């Protein structure tokens, strides 16, 4: 998930100044209102080393009344802290009602740096996560607003910053051997951070990922994240006081959301010859792997989503054409029927989950909940917001059982879609594929793009990743799908054989 | 916790008939209302072997319209189920809106029988618990009402029933080798069940423990548990439809709650000679253990609660009189001050938690939340109901860090309290100990007893047990406290030394 985020985002000086001026004034006001309403606030700055936590905390507090907040720099190697359970110091530092506590690093260190450094044992991780979740839940139930920021930079950017720090006598001490090690093993460290975000993303204490390459962009996003959240919580608190049953408070949408689709290179393509060769090679391989899967009793779940006319059908066809039909099933997903409507939305998908050794392919999936149902209002906001976690839990349950779980997003741009729609209308054999609804959905392209971006960030997990498929060229897309499946199966089979 | 429950409860035929008639008719009505309101219901029957699940399911369904429910007997050794993740079969069996599904055994088997039998590996337990919790949460968020019943009988009763079954040709097959093993290692199996109840007790899907020695009593309690819960959920659903902000629906209190204090033998006593000898022996031992604690850096948390004049002060005095004062601290707990009031209620206790190697004694504790605050209305119902889990989480965090956590309830009866109150009033040196408030609290004895019973059941855990101290005889009580502490410390030190 973290590796998918477009880190090139930046902002021009003028916009930055304008936003900081407006939102800064707003933050000062919100702080006073929170004080009056007795709302305690915790703001956590965490993320990659040298992402600029210190600088960003400094910028944020410019707008705050210094009598109303405190900054806590935490370090798990602190001697006094070591003599106590790891949450102890944070419990003692929780802000009183109406005050703001800002944390430079936090209780997340134990499942992040300490884990990477080997100071936290793998077997203690589930317990540590439980403790973190219960800590945040208990505080949140008591009225605490918890804002968690993850500052993200790339491996190259981090290296550049470490070098710059090392080159100056005044700052060289700030870069440790461990920092360099984390930069060297960036991918491994990123995975640890990704697991941390997955395990601790909750409705009451959500994470916001801050693209921190451009410091101005980061500062602007942090500021707007904090103001939007405080405004929301104040409104909710007011509604509670007024005993309003139906909350009108709108959960803060991020004004600057994480881009994923914006960074996808749609020029990728293959020649017909390359395509034929690769296709044939991969299909043969897949056929062989399919038998092994069956023998080793590995279940496989493949989900396909994408823009209308994105090429799902074609990709699925190339995937299955050489498989033994007794070993796989393709489940097309239409609107729920009457029986399905009186059950939990995941029920119909559970009914079609493969047994050990079998492959289940879903043409459209349970992700409808956070796309079409979200956008068309077929479920409530609370329902689709909750669905990210519910879906992650379902996929985690499948993965823990030993299943391979892959999800493909077939991506094309708006022009390519138009071309394909028109082609469909003009080709008698393809006319059934295009309806008025397709054209209507197309008008909501931007809404869908925002929903898909959020979905990809929130549900691409280490155990069930999303694969964004560059789909403007069908040859390239089909081969990428096949190759990804083949590689994932090979890896899994290897793993199972090793025991 | 389970071993504390008074299993001798029974009901006379007449009362039984009356309750079944009334509540049975009510259940039929509630079923129709749930159907009309589209509320799906799951009722789980779990518990000890031969506790009478089959019989009880049969009695319950007498009152139900057979077109509206289904019974699922589940078995994790089912071949079709084995090929899928363990939750799969239960996901496929969830009832549609308006229907009732009854489970004879359930998804709990994996963390109960399967764990005891070794079919579930210890390392897979945290994941299994997570899966169970998310399963119930997802369904509950979607409107499912989940009622979980744990049928409990004693080791002797179970043995008697197994023998009876074995002696008849028709039923002998129902008792397996594993059943006998579970009876033989009853304490170990009970601990597994206790952990299961601790880990899966939630607000949205709470457990009810059914004393199942007397079948009529059990049937009556099951019936009233189900009707009370359905009535509550219907009222809540109605309020939601009416968009009422402040819920008037009262969470069902169990009409037949688990007794703990009722089963305590208050005649236990020691002679003065026995007392002096034991006291001196234990105090010497404790002094030695205290040095070892310090050396091994084991933190110790001892909480004292009990009736007014129950003997807390005296017990604490005997505990500390031979300890090095640099190594322990006694924290008296009064009403929260202004600073404490603007923090989470657990904050002040966290501030006084001992560091490694130290002993913290609390004279009254965080349990005030579920006793005085509950009864006097100093916190909301939602707050004290939530507190059981919050407290368990805090104690679990301490225990996972390596702390010894013990909680003592100093129990006396009402007559003994009156005697002591009067003695205090008549003794000039003790008059400060007795106030009008003590007399007022005394008038609420029954309310307190119900709250204490609930507290003991909900928060006596494997990692932080409650010890009910028979306190009518002060000598006996003081020695029991000391001996319990000494034994717990010895056990912990042994464990730490072994690594």
């Amino acid at each position: 998930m973290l590796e998918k985020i477009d880190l090139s985002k930046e902002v021009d000086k003028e916009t930055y100044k304008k936003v900081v001026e407006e939102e800064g004034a707003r933050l000062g006001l919100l702080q006073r209102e929170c004080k009056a309403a007795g709302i305690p606030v915790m703001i956590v700055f965490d993320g990659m080393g040298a992402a600029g936590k210190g600088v960003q905390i400094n910028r944020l507090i410019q707008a705050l009344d210094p009598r109303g907040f405190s900054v806590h720099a935490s370090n798990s190697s602190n001697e006094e802290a070591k003599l106590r359970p790891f949450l102890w110091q944070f419990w003692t530092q929780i802000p009183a009602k109406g005050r703001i506590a800002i944390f430079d690093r936090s209780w997340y260190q134990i499942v992040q740096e300490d884990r990477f450094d080997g100071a936290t044992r793998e077997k203690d991780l589930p317990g540590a996560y439980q403790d973190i979740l219960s800590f945040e839940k208990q505080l949140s139930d008591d009225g605490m607003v918890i804002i968690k920021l993850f500052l993200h930079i790339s491996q190259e950017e981090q290296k550049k910053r470490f070098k710059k720090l090392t080159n100056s006598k005044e700052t060289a001490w700030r870069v440790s051997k461990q920092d360099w090690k984390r930069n060297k093993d960036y991918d491994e460290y990123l995975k640890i951070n990704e697991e941390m975000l997955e395990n601790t993303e909750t409705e009451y204490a959500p994470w916001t990922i801050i693209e921190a390459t451009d410091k101005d962009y980061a500062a602007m996003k942090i500021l707007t994240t904090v103001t939007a959240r405080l405004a929301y919580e104040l409104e909710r608190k007011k509604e509670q006081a007024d005993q309003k049953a139906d909350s009108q408070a709108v959960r803060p949408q991020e004004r600057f959301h994480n881009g994923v689709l914006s960074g996808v290179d749609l020029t990728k393509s293959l020649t017909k010859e390359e395509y034929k060769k690769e296709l044939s090679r991969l299909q043969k391989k897949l056929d062989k792997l399919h038998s092994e899967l069956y023998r080793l009793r590995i279940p496989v779940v493949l989900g396909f989503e994408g823009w209308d006319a994105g090429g799902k059908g074609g990709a699925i066809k190339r995937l299955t054409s050489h498989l033994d039909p007794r070993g796989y099933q393709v489940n097309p997903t239409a609107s729920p029927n009457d029986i399905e409507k009186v059950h939990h939305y995941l029920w119909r998908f559970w009914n079609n989950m493969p047994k050990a050794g079998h492959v289940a392919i879903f043409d459209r999936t349970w992700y409808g909940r956070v796309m079409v149902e979200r956008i068309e209002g077929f479920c409530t906001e609370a329902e689709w917001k909750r669905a990210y976690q519910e879906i992650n839990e379902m996929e985690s349950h499948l993965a823990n059982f030993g299943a391979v779980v892959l999800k493909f997003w077939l991506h094309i741009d708006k022009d390519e879609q138009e071309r394909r729609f028109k082609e469909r209308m003009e080709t008698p054999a393809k006319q059934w594929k295009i309806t008025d609804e397709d054209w209507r959905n197309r008008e909501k392209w931007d809404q869908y793009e925002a929903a898909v971006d959020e979905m990809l960030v929130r549900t691409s997990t280490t155990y069930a990743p999303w694969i964004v498929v560059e789909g403007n060229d069908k040859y390239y897309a089909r081969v990428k799908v096949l190759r990804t499946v083949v590689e994932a199966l090979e890896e899994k089979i290897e793993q199972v054989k090793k025991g």
Side-chain angles (χ1 to χ4, degrees), chain A residues 295-336:
Chain A
R295 207 170 48 80
L296 296 170
R297 303 212 146 193
I298 300 169
V300 179
V301 178
L302 305 175
F304 287 85
E305 292 283 358
W307 297 107
D308 287 329
K312 289 189 298 296
I316 292 172
K317 204 168 156 192
R318 271 55 178 200
L319 194 59
T320 57
S321 61
H322 285 57
L323 294 182
D324 180 338
R326 290 164 304 180
Y328 76 87
Q329 185 164 353
V330 177
N331 304 291
T333 302
S335 306

Side-chain angles (χ1 to χ4, degrees), chain A residues 214-406:
Chain A
D214 177 29
K215 288 193 174 123
D216 288 349
Y217 182 85
M220 184 177 76
K221 182 160 178 178
I222 289 169
L223 192 55
T224 55
T225 302
V226 173
T227 52
R229 179 72 185 282
L230 294 185
Y232 167 70
E233 298 291 348
L234 278 161
E235 198 178 333
R236 278 214 315 162
K237 178 111 182 177
K238 218 168 136 192
E239 285 178 346
Q240 277 166 16
D242 296 350
Q243 307 218 343
K244 276 199 195 153
D246 240 24
S247 179
Q248 299 299 321
V250 180
R251 281 191 157 264
Q253 304 286 343
E254 277 162 29
R255 216 164 115 188
F256 305 99
H257 75 265
N258 302 123
V260 176
L261 296 184
S262 63
V264 176
D265 176 7
L266 285 173
T267 64
K268 291 188 179 174
S269 66
L270 288 182
T271 64
K272 194 166 187 179
E273 288 68 43
E274 288 171 323
Y275 169 63
K276 281 197 168 168
K277 211 177 124 198
E278 268 300 273
L279 189 68
S280 152
R281 184 183 72 84
L282 288 166
Q283 284 178 332
K284 271 180 208 149
K285 223 169 186 173
L286 187 59
D287 186 23
K288 251 172 79 180
L289 291 169
H290 196 202
S291 317
E292 281 217 75
L293 284 182
Y294 187 76
R295 207 170 48 80
L296 296 170
R297 303 212 146 193
I298 300 169
V300 179
V301 178
L302 305 175
F304 287 85
E305 292 283 358
W307 297 107
D308 287 329
K312 289 189 298 296
I316 292 172
K317 204 168 156 192
R318 271 55 178 200
L319 194 59
T320 57
S321 61
H322 285 57
L323 294 182
D324 180 338
R326 290 164 304 180
Y328 76 87
Q329 185 164 353
V330 177
N331 304 291
T333 302
S335 306
N337 63 30
D338 288 350
I339 303 295
E340 288 162 352
K341 273 184 193 155
V342 292
H343 284 86
H344 192 280
Y345 73 98
L346 289 176
W347 175 75
R348 59 173 169 154
F349 301 106
W350 270 107
N351 273 293
N352 287 317
M353 284 304 164
K355 54 181 159 184
H358 288 247
V359 180
I361 295 169
F362 292 87
D363 183 357
R364 299 210 180 276
T365 66
W366 41 96
Y367 284 97
R369 188 74 161 185
V370 294
M371 293 195 293
V372 57
E373 291 193 40
R374 165 183 177 169
I375 287 165
E376 301 295 341
F378 296 153
C379 64
T380 68
E381 184 174 340
E383 282 172 338
W384 64 257
K385 290 243 167 180
R386 190 167 77 214
Y388 299 115
Q389 194 184 335
E390 292 171 340
I391 288 172
N392 286 342
E393 285 170 354
M394 179 179 76
E395 292 174 353
S396 150
H397 188 60
L398 295 168
N400 286 338
F401 179 65
V404 174
V405 185
L406 299 174

Side-chain angles (χ1 to χ4, degrees), chain A residues 73-106:
Chain A
S74 74
N75 193 333
S76 59
S77 51
N78 168 308
E79 281 308 316
E80 190 64 11
K82 268 190 190 163
L83 292 170
R84 303 285 206 325
F86 81 94
L87 286 175
W88 171 79
Q89 65 167 310
F90 305 107
W91 262 105
T92 65
Q93 289 166 349
I94 61 170
K97 284 174 187 166
R99 289 187 57 86
I100 298 174
I102 295 170
F103 292 85
D104 178 0
R105 326 296 322 263
S106 69

Side-chain angles (χ1 to χ4, degrees), chain A residues 87-125:
Chain A
L87 286 175
W88 171 79
Q89 65 167 310
F90 305 107
W91 262 105
T92 65
Q93 289 166 349
I94 61 170
K97 284 174 187 166
R99 289 187 57 86
I100 298 174
I102 295 170
F103 292 85
D104 178 0
R105 326 296 322 263
S106 69
W107 45 95
Y108 282 100
Q109 211 168 341
I110 195 168
V111 293
Q112 190 208 34
E113 279 194 3
D114 289 355
R115 178 183 177 189
F116 181 84
D117 297 352
T120 304
R121 292 172 300 182
E122 290 295 312
K123 80 177 186 66
D124 292 333
L125 277 175

Side-chain angles (χ1 to χ4, degrees), chain A residues 85-228:
Chain A
F86 81 94
L87 286 175
W88 171 79
Q89 65 167 310
F90 305 107
W91 262 105
T92 65
Q93 289 166 349
I94 61 170
K97 284 174 187 166
R99 289 187 57 86
I100 298 174
I102 295 170
F103 292 85
D104 178 0
R105 326 296 322 263
S106 69
W107 45 95
Y108 282 100
Q109 211 168 341
I110 195 168
V111 293
Q112 190 208 34
E113 279 194 3
D114 289 355
R115 178 183 177 189
F116 181 84
D117 297 352
T120 304
R121 292 172 300 182
E122 290 295 312
K123 80 177 186 66
D124 292 333
L125 277 175
Y129 277 123
Q130 264 318 102
D131 289 337
I132 286 173
L133 289 170
S134 84
F135 174 61
E136 295 179 358
K137 180 78 165 63
Q138 290 197 15
L139 293 177
S140 153
D141 280 344
D142 195 48
M144 182 79 68
V145 174
I146 303 171
I147 301 173
K148 303 187 298 195
L149 308 167
F150 186 91
L151 277 61
H152 188 20
I153 52 176
S154 70
Q155 184 173 21
E156 302 71 49
E157 179 66 22
Q158 189 181 49
K159 197 170 176 182
K160 212 174 79 188
R161 293 188 186 185
F162 280 170
K163 272 197 180 149
K164 198 176 159 199
L165 287 167
T166 313
N167 286 340
S168 155
K169 254 191 260 174
E170 284 79 40
T171 54
W173 61 274
R174 288 177 55 190
V175 185
S176 69
K177 259 190 203 169
Q178 282 301 325
D179 283 325
W180 279 112
K181 186 154 187 334
R182 279 178 220 121
N183 181 260
K184 195 173 143 271
D185 300 332
Y186 183 91
D187 290 346
E188 191 195 327
Y189 190 54
L190 207 64
K191 205 180 150 192
I192 282 176
N193 279 277
E194 199 149 317
E195 274 185 33
M196 172 181 96
L197 297 175
E198 284 165 17
N199 287 333
T200 58
E201 174 71 22
T202 57
E203 207 193 333
Y204 49 90
W207 280 102
T208 302
I209 297 165
I210 307 291
E211 298 88 339
T213 316
D214 177 29
K215 288 193 174 123
D216 288 349
Y217 182 85
M220 184 177 76
K221 182 160 178 178
I222 289 169
L223 192 55
T224 55
T225 302
V226 173
T227 52

